[in-house]
Amino acid sequence: MRLAEFLAAHPKVKHVHYPGLPSHPQHALAKKQMRGFGGLIAFTLGSLDNARTLLNHVQLIALAESLGGVETLISHPATMTHASVPADRRQQLGITDDLVRLSVGIEDVDDLKEDLDQALARIS
């Protein structure tokens, strides 16, 4: 939740998809059904170049296609898990070129925030 709030407040992040945030369209339903909101956060950065910059500059967070480890992992669905899906279909599914997925692991949240912040700072 703290990382989702951090990303939602960051000026380089365009939108955060996380059911724990009041801005999520199904936040009320998530609150009724969940005790916590999970560790998967998706967010957009405005362009493919911005997403690549972030992915190339995180240091603590590992780039991976699978998001199932105990460590924090980051992925770019458009060029990884959904690369074989035609671009128009990806758009219909909301898998845009600027979408990044983050699976939050067991590292200290402040360390993760610092890593994301230093990588986001490199986006022009």
Side-chain angles (χ1 to χ4, degrees):
M1 184 67 178
R2 287 179 53 198
L3 281 179
E5 291 170 338
F6 164 77
L7 290 166
H10 199 285
K12 301 273 177 87
V13 175
K14 302 303 177 199
H15 184 75
V16 176
H17 305 276
Y18 186 72
L21 294 175
S23 60
H24 191 278
Q26 294 179 320
H27 176 71
L29 177 62
K31 275 180 69 172
K32 287 171 64 173
Q33 293 181 340
M34 305 167 90
R35 284 186 297 236
F37 298 105
L40 188 62
I41 303 167
F43 56 99
T44 58
L45 296 169
S47 73
L48 176 58
D49 285 341
N50 289 351
R52 283 186 176 145
T53 298
L54 176 80
L55 296 168
N56 289 332
H57 289 95
V58 288
Q59 297 170 357
L60 175 63
I61 301 167
L63 181 65
E65 277 201 37
S66 170
L67 299 177
V70 297
E71 65 279 346
T72 298
L73 303 171
I74 197 165
S75 72
H76 186 249
T79 60
M80 296 171 82
T81 56
H82 292 75
S84 64
V85 177
D88 60 331
R89 181 68 179 132
R90 283 197 315 265
Q91 290 294 319
Q92 292 171 347
L93 295 170
I95 302 170
T96 57
D97 286 346
D98 68 334
L99 181 72
V100 174
R101 285 189 180 151
L102 184 69
S103 177
V104 181
I106 61 172
E107 299 89 352
D108 181 81
V109 69
D110 290 326
D111 291 341
L112 295 171
K113 283 170 48 178
E114 286 178 24
D115 191 24
L116 288 166
D117 196 39
Q118 65 81 26
L120 287 165
R122 296 174 183 264
I123 294 172
S124 4

